[in-house]
Amino acid sequence: IVAVSQEMFLRECKILANLEQHGMPRVVDYFIRGKELFLILDYSEGMSLWEFVYPQSAQGIRPPLGRRTQPARERVIDWSIQLAEILCYLHDQKPFPILHRNLSPLSVQIAPLIDEVRLVDCGLLNSFRTLATLTGYGSTAFFPNPFAIPDLIGGRWSQTYVDIFAFGRILDFMLTGNIPAEADAPPAYPATESSLDAELHTLLARIIMRCCDMARDDHYQSMAEVNQDLIQLRAEASGSESQRIPCICGHL
């Protein structure tokens, strides 16, 4: 078991070290010491999405502490497009797509000043799953990430949809601060009422629902499809913004 995992780990790390994509962490080194596997990544200053939405809460505390910070929806759309482009790059790798599998508000970071999206790690590797399943540690308790798709370590492991599903959860989190209580719990944003921009709200809700819909024929088939809808949404939002009329109260 150890030999198989070590060989797979070194092969995967070599692939990760050759990636060149803005927003991806750079592989500094990787090695094996005894039976332990080490992957060292560069560290970037920034704030995780978790810290941005819940600035008074410690990392990963559930339920989070303090009041929620609501990012502007235009900002959420821009962040989502940046994250989608990173995932498109990973999924387009040949001969096999590279999956992150552990996307969450803790693994997505916002760089200060430049407002850019970055991933803080490379996610869960195939060597991780091999070791977890062969040694019996592949239980649901082993995955504390509530944004992951059900049966991640099972039959869905090799599907690009695992990242699409988590992407929808993150988009829902940015808009509502919602943390799924259960793996199959529905997103919160579609049920949120909004007095402004009803059409934009509807389109965002539709994207979230298609990302999180586990029916094969109803959900997005690729991150490229998700990104295309987000780019179209941003264009429509920008167009409607220019047509707004200032009200005496100060709002558009």
Side-chain angles (χ1 to χ4, degrees), residues 205-247:
R206 187 178 302 164
I207 292 174
I208 293 173
M209 292 302 294
R210 283 196 67 190
C211 285
C212 298
D213 193 331
M214 288 184 282
R216 174 180 289 272
D217 295 333
D218 297 330
H219 65 64
Y220 284 106
Q221 301 303 308
S222 70
M223 276 305 310
E225 291 183 14
V226 183
N227 196 34
Q228 183 177 3
D229 280 357
L230 286 168
I231 292 174
Q232 179 65 31
L233 181 62
R234 181 172 61 181
E236 294 178 4
S238 299
S240 62
E241 181 75 23
S242 62
Q243 299 172 9
R244 293 177 183 175
I245 301 174
C247 175

Side-chain angles (χ1 to χ4, degrees), residues 9-233:
F9 173 78
L10 293 176
R11 183 168 62 248
E12 288 186 282
C13 289
K14 183 178 181 180
I15 294 173
L16 295 174
N18 290 326
L19 296 179
E20 295 183 2
Q21 170 67 14
H22 192 72
M24 281 289 297
R26 183 177 61 88
V27 175
V28 177
D29 196 8
Y30 56 91
F31 54 90
I32 297 173
R33 181 177 297 163
K35 293 184 179 181
E36 296 179 317
L37 313 178
F38 292 87
L39 172 59
I40 302 176
L41 307 173
D42 64 351
Y43 174 78
S44 300
E45 291 288 346
M47 177 183 294
S48 70
L49 282 178
W50 184 281
E51 294 172 290
F52 186 95
V53 176
Y54 291 104
Q56 301 177 37
S57 181
Q59 287 271 15
I61 293 294
R62 295 184 63 197
L65 306 174
R67 297 184 60 181
R68 174 173 58 89
T69 299
Q70 180 69 57
R73 277 185 291 186
E74 291 76 11
R75 201 176 189 187
V76 168
I77 294 171
D78 187 57
W79 288 349
S80 300
I81 291 173
Q82 291 185 55
L83 178 58
E85 289 175 348
I86 297 173
L87 295 175
C88 284
Y89 171 80
L90 292 175
H91 291 182
D92 286 343
Q93 294 303 302
K94 307 296 182 184
F96 304 108
I98 295 178
L99 311 184
H100 191 280
R101 303 187 179 96
N102 199 34
L103 292 171
S104 79
L106 294 174
S107 60
V108 178
Q109 184 186 69
I110 306 299
L113 302 179
I114 54 178
D115 212 36
E116 288 184 347
V117 171
R118 298 170 179 164
L119 292 179
V120 300
D121 58 43
C122 299
L124 302 178
L125 306 184
N126 284 307
S127 49
F128 171 89
R129 184 224 191 182
T130 299
L131 190 61
T133 53
L134 292 180
T135 57
Y137 290 108
S139 65
T140 54
F142 200 73
F143 296 94
N145 178 8
F147 295 82
I149 195 170
D151 192 32
L152 169 65
I153 204 168
R156 296 185 184 272
W157 181 263
S158 299
Q159 301 176 8
T160 55
Y161 180 59
V162 299
D163 286 346
I164 297 174
F165 179 91
F167 179 91
R169 289 292 200 191
I170 291 175
L171 179 55
D172 186 53
F173 175 82
M174 287 191 285
L175 292 164
T176 67
N178 178 59
I179 302 168
E182 302 292 341
D184 55 354
Y189 189 69
T192 304
E193 295 183 0
S194 174
S195 58
L196 296 173
D197 301 326
E199 183 177 0
L200 177 60
H201 177 95
T202 300
L203 293 174
L204 276 169
R206 187 178 302 164
I207 292 174
I208 293 173
M209 292 302 294
R210 283 196 67 190
C211 285
C212 298
D213 193 331
M214 288 184 282
R216 174 180 289 272
D217 295 333
D218 297 330
H219 65 64
Y220 284 106
Q221 301 303 308
S222 70
M223 276 305 310
E225 291 183 14
V226 183
N227 196 34
Q228 183 177 3
D229 280 357
L230 286 168
I231 292 174
Q232 179 65 31
L233 181 62

